[in-house]
Amino acid sequence: MPQDMPPAGGYEAVQYKRNLPTKGFRPATLLGIAGVIMGYGWYRVIKGIRERNELAREKMWGRIHLIPLLQAEEDRDLVRRHLADQAREKALLGENFKVYNSDRYVRPTFAAVPENVTE
Amino acid sequence: MAARKPIFNQHVLYDTTPLPESIPKVKELGTTSAPLMSAAFFIGARCKDYNDDFMQCKTENPGKGEFECLKEGRRVTRCARSVIKDINANCLDQFKAHWECLENNNQQMWQCRQKEWSLNKCVFDKLGLEKRIPDQPKDEVPVQFRRNQIYAHASIPITQFPYLTPSQRAEQVENLRLRDPKKAARIDLWDEQQRQKEAAEAAAAQTKA
């Protein structure tokens, strides 16, 4: 019995690839485009960071020029309140007690307020 | 739920007792944040010595500075008051335009460059104070003179020029010489031409007179 043999000239190639048209750019080109976009983005980011550093420097120096006068005003107010407090304590208790074992000025945590509203 | 009801009695926290007579009086600045921000560099330009004195006093008297540095504090406040007063007297329009712009833009200096430039010009012409930010890098245009800022809402048109005082301009030309010698040379040439033109005009006026 004769055996089945391949046809003369061999079998046809089996088509396993999809037969679709390739659209768009080549992958290398796409990568290149993405790189360019990313590069521009990084350029802007770095420029923005440097600009922000300079803006921060400007703001910080503005603040440095303002701190003394704001602090001076605050200090005067604290001294005024402290002295008024001491006078009130003296008037009520007859003497000023030393509350803290230190010569430092301690910003009051609790306010002993006048009995009547003074404003 | 807390059983105690909150009692808001902060109205009695007002304490209007004035300072004793033994401490000299000084009128407080009474300026809000935006005008202060706008005038900060001019205050710094005029009051640097007083400010440094005050801060040094505070550093040397830790814990007692509030009492020891009252005198320095009064000087600081008086100096700042004088700056605000002078700006108000001489450059009120530009000052107001700038700080209102700051007020409307979350106090972001970079949104108000144009107004800042006109204020700087006026303040330098009338009071001789200039805005100076120390330690800026030399290899780029300082941020306060830029037309295009990434963070600003809009670029400033190319027809507008930042105001630089003569010393600032000289400094910027020197910096430009490092990074773009050709442009610096062009500026030098232009300056030289201006000088020659002025000299020629002066000579012409002299011969006429």
Side-chain angles (χ1 to χ4, degrees):
Chain A
M1 193 172 151
Q3 226 172 340
D4 263 356
M5 296 296 284
Y11 290 108
E12 278 177 39
V14 177
Q15 196 207 341
Y16 61 92
K17 277 186 184 165
R18 294 194 298 167
N19 189 17
L20 294 173
T22 51
K23 284 198 292 186
F25 296 109
R26 284 184 8 238
T29 320
L30 277 176
L31 191 69
I33 291 171
V36 168
I37 291 172
M38 285 254 286
Y40 178 69
W42 275 107
Y43 165 74
R44 293 282 289 181
V45 164
I46 290 169
K47 208 173 160 196
I49 290 172
R50 289 190 178 155
E51 184 183 308
R52 203 171 55 195
N53 291 346
E54 292 309 305
L55 292 169
R57 188 198 306 280
E58 181 185 27
K59 183 176 173 179
M60 190 46 79
W61 274 101
R63 198 60 67 82
I64 285 171
H65 294 321
L66 290 181
I67 279 175
L69 66 97
L70 297 174
Q71 188 65 49
E73 186 170 339
E74 175 74 7
D75 281 0
R76 265 196 299 279
D77 192 50
L78 286 175
V79 168
R80 178 181 72 80
R81 283 166 187 275
H82 178 78
L83 294 179
D85 234 22
Q86 296 286 308
R88 210 175 297 122
E89 190 181 353
K90 191 146 197 166
L92 291 173
L93 304 178
E95 60 174 318
N96 289 131
F97 292 100
K98 204 160 165 245
V99 185
Y100 300 101
N101 184 26
S102 154
D103 286 335
R104 296 174 72 97
Y105 168 75
V106 181
R107 221 184 140 119
T109 315
F110 302 104
V113 297
E115 194 178 5
N116 301 312
V117 181
T118 54
E119 191 183 51
Chain B
M1 278 291 280
R4 252 176 68 177
K5 281 183 187 161
I7 301 167
F8 297 109
N9 56 356
Q10 282 159 13
H11 64 286
V12 296
L13 284 175
Y14 288 116
D15 186 355
T16 54
T17 320
L19 275 171
E21 290 298 320
S22 56
I23 297 173
K25 299 272 179 293
V26 63
K27 204 150 186 286
E28 294 296 354
L29 200 57
T31 314
T32 50
S33 57
L36 277 182
M37 191 78 197
S38 169
F41 283 91
F42 306 126
I43 292 174
R46 185 184 281 181
C47 308
K48 186 167 181 302
D49 294 344
Y50 297 111
N51 288 354
D52 288 352
D53 259 7
F54 178 70
M55 292 320 260
Q56 189 186 11
C57 174
K58 292 280 284 183
T59 314
E60 285 171 358
N61 294 289
K64 300 194 294 281
E66 284 81 355
F67 297 92
E68 305 291 325
C69 305
L70 282 173
K71 188 174 76 175
E72 283 82 359
R74 285 193 293 275
R75 286 180 181 156
V76 165
T77 303
R78 272 193 214 106
C79 180
R81 258 189 91 80
S82 80
V83 175
I84 299 284
K85 192 168 139 251
D86 285 354
I87 296 178
N88 272 338
N90 291 302
C91 304
L92 185 60
D93 291 340
Q94 290 91 334
F95 183 44
K96 204 160 171 238
H98 185 227
W99 72 253
E100 280 180 351
C101 175
L102 286 178
E103 191 111 300
N104 292 335
N105 285 293
N106 215 0
Q107 303 200 3
Q108 293 170 334
M109 301 286 274
W110 59 91
Q111 312 285 15
C112 304
R113 291 290 178 212
Q114 262 179 288
K115 285 162 180 142
E116 185 187 314
W117 295 341
S118 64
L119 175 66
N120 284 356
K121 177 167 167 45
C122 176
V123 169
F124 184 74
D125 289 348
K126 300 275 178 59
L127 308 178
L129 302 174
E130 61 179 23
K131 170 173 174 169
R132 209 162 251 292
I133 306 174
D135 305 331
Q136 285 187 309
K138 289 186 191 305
D139 56 352
E140 57 187 24
V141 179
V143 76
Q144 72 270 32
F145 300 134
R146 287 180 202 167
R147 276 200 203 88
N148 299 306
Q149 298 171 106
I150 287 182
Y151 281 86
H153 290 149
S155 296
I156 295 168
I158 199 150
T159 50
Q160 301 288 322
F161 289 96
Y163 176 72
L164 280 76
T165 62
S167 65
Q168 281 171 339
R169 185 175 185 277
E171 196 177 310
Q172 290 312 311
V173 173
E174 282 314 306
N175 290 348
L176 192 66
R177 216 179 291 289
L178 298 176
R179 66 172 190 269
D180 192 351
K182 281 184 187 165
K183 197 169 177 187
R186 279 208 300 281
I187 290 176
D188 284 343
L189 190 67
W190 195 81
D191 280 354
E192 186 55 37
Q193 284 170 354
Q194 288 301 107
R195 259 199 298 279
Q196 282 172 2
K197 205 187 278 180
E198 273 170 27
E201 275 170 16
Q206 211 161 30
T207 48
K208 203 177 277 179

